[in-house]
Every structure is written in C-alpha cells, then in structure tokens.
Amino acid sequence: MKIKSIYIITLVLAFLPKMQAQELLLLEDAVKIALENNYDIKLAKNELKIDELNNSAGNAGMLPTINALVTDNNSITNTKQTQADGSERTLDGARNMNLTYGIGLDWTVFDGLRMFARKEQLNILQKQGEAELKLAILTKISEVYLNYFDLVQQQQQLAAIDTAIVISQERVTTAQNRFSIGKASKLEVLNAQVDLNTDKSLQLKQLETLKNAKIRLNEILARDVQTEFVVANEISVDEQLKYDELKSAADSQNPQLQAQMLTKNSAEQQLKQVKAGRYPTIRITSGYNFTRSEASLGFITQSSNRGFAYGFNASMPIFNGNLQNRNERIAKVQLENANVTLEQQKRSLESQLNAAFASYTTNLKLTKVEAQNLKIAEQNLDITMAKFKIGTITPIEFRTAQQNFLEAKVRYSNALYLTKIHEITLKELAGSLSF
C-alpha cells in the first residue's frame, strides 16, 4: 500500500471517532466564541461605552446648569432692644425665620472657545476608544488564529506519527513471520519492536503537546479549559499577499497607528483649551426666587417677596504668575511628543511589515521545497517497504527511510504553519484580519 494512502487512512481512523465524540471546532466558530467571551475584548467594549457616555455637550461645558435652592433659617432668642427715645423693649423666646427658595440658572456663554475644543477632544477620545477596541479584537483574534493553526499542525504531526506506528507494526509482523520460517534472526524482531516502542513514545509526547495546545485555546476562548474538541486538518495559505497593498492598508487601518494619530489630535485640542485661558469668560445668571422672613420683635414682623432675577458677569485674566505661559509651553511640548511618537510608530510599523513579509516570502518558498521533499520521501519509503517485504534491504535502511518520511512530514507541517503565522501577522498589522 502506498504511504500516502496509509497516511490518509490513518488520519481518518484516528480522528473520525474523536470528531463523532467531540466537538468539531471550526475556525469561524472559535472566532465567534472569542468575540463573545474574551475578557480583554469585554473590557475594551466597556471602556468604549465610557468614552461614548463622556462625549456630550454637557460634559464639554456647553450647556447651562439649573439648580433648585431651598434655605430655611430659624432661631429662638431672648431679645432686649433700646429705642432712640431711651425706652426699652424685651422679649424672651423671640422666634425668627428666614425662608428662601427658587430656581437658578448659570450659563457660560463664552470661555475663549475652550468648550468647543473640549467637545472635539471628547469626539477624539471616543474614536480612540473605537481604535483600542479594534486593536483588542485584532490582537485576540490573531491569537485565536495562531493557536488554532498550531493545533492543526499538532494534529498533522500526530497523524504522521500514527502512520509511522502503523508501518512499524507492519514491520514487526513481517519480522516475526520471517523469523517463524527461519529467514530472519530474533535480533531483527527485537529491533523492530524497539523501533515500534520508540514511535509509541513519540506518540505519547505528541498527545501531551496537543492537549496543552487545546488548553491554551480554551483559555483564550474564555471557556472551560477541559473542553474537548478537534479542529480541521488542513492549513490553507494565502499566497497572493503584496507588500505595497499591505503597506497602504496599514497606513489607513492599523489600529495602533490610528490611536497614535488620535493622540496627536487630542494634544492639539488640549493646546487650544490652554490658550483659551487668555480670553475673557462671560457667564449669564438668572433665577426665580421667593423669600419670606418673620421676626417676633422689630419694626417689621413679617415680609415676603418673589420675582425674576438676572444678570451677567465677565472676567478677563491679566496676570496669574506666568502660569498661562507655563501651561502653554507644556501643552506645546506634549504636542511635540505626540508627533515624535507618531513618527516612531510609523517607522516601527514599517519595520514590522518588512520583517514579517520577508519571513512570509521565505517560508512560502520553503513550504514548496518541503512539499517536494515530502513527495520524494513518500516514494522512497514506498520502494523501501516493497524491498523490505521481499528481503532485499536491511532493517536499518528501512528504519532510515521511515524516519526520513516522518521528518519530512513534520518539516512540511512546520513550514506551512510558519507561513500561516506570518500571513496572519501581516494581515493583523494591515488591520485587515478577518473576524
């Protein structure tokens, strides 16, 4: 039987029972679960809600404040009064009351345009929250992709080891048959059994690696880490990525770059708010009030009034100990820092793109080389098995061909996985990773 056929049959026999007993977790399902459950994404969503709630005209200081006021003062005193003519008036337990209530309005109508700069800054902070949410989503979805395809790779390597075990078992059976008819020594049987046990040992280690990879993915999906599942068996690579297209997408879509641009815009609005301190502030005040007072002793024992009051006040800063100049210089330095950080982010993004694209193209070529090498290893093992069955090749040569096939299968799987890693990294940097 051809090695490729043995591998496919082994893959089906190994994973069909598991797929029937366990959940088949598709990549899109894993992404959906992460979007719903992941803690970092939930936190980023809540932070965005806070930014949205903060982004209001009232929080920017553009709306008036209206307050209801009630003041009630009472006293009981022993009073003695001397009149102008020398007569005296006394009253023990004199009661006095003063009641005031009403509604007042206070509205800043001009503050050097600070309120408009503040509102624009709140808009920017909300956009920053959106960029940070997108970054959190891209980061976690990228992590899901990487761990998912790592599982695919581990499953492929386990299937390759299972194939090696099937071949080793066939070799043991062949050696025992040859020994029983006197065409092979006991040593050949023992060597075949040792190699079979070696393959089984590799299988146990690979099963442990696969289990740990499942635990990691379950943790990212924020579900019970003991949840059992299987993943798809293939890794498909996008071979059509172009650097110029990725660079253009990154310049307009990379969430880290977008967040830094917004940080610079926020610093510009902060400078405008500081400069507003040089201009006058004008406030309008108004209200409707009712007052009532009572006194047990005096010329007027009771009075009350009600009515509308209004007015305005204006203030103009003249000198505040050079604090205005200092604050403006600090705001300008902060804006300069934001520009420097933005340029640094651009250079860093370009560097990451170049490095990831170089690795992507290299591993893409390596994958094709390893695919060719795997075909050769399969053909070599097919020929070696045929020769071994008729006794024209030594067990050592057979084992070497078997190991070469296993190593070629693992190298091809690794190359495919590494290519996929760099593809995911490039799409994440470009802000175009699908979720």
Side-chain angles (χ1 to χ4, degrees), residues 93-157:
R95 294 179 178 273
N96 300 287
M97 182 271 288
N98 192 306
L99 174 65
T100 302
Y101 60 88
I103 295 177
L105 177 145
D106 188 359
W107 191 1
T108 301
V109 294
F110 183 77
D111 62 353
L113 303 180
R114 180 187 285 110
M115 64 181 74
F116 296 99
R118 174 62 179 160
K119 183 63 175 70
E120 183 59 31
Q121 189 177 44
L122 291 174
N123 291 338
I124 292 169
L125 289 174
Q126 181 177 334
K127 291 177 182 177
Q128 272 188 310
E130 293 168 356
E132 286 166 3
L133 174 59
K134 183 180 179 182
L135 176 60
I137 291 174
L138 282 175
T139 300
K140 284 303 164 186
I141 297 311
S142 173
E143 201 172 344
V144 170
Y145 272 56
L146 295 176
N147 281 271
Y148 186 91
F149 287 114
D150 178 47
L151 266 172
V152 175
Q153 176 202 211
Q154 300 301 336
Q155 279 189 177
Q156 289 176 342
Q157 294 188 12

Side-chain angles (χ1 to χ4, degrees), residues 3 43 57 59 145 184 187 206 230 234 274 305 314 399 411:
I3 294 301
L43 290 172
N59 195 30
Y145 272 56
L187 181 61
Q206 185 60 28
V230 292
E234 297 295 330
V274 173
N305 61 73
R399 182 62 178 175
R411 284 200 309 273

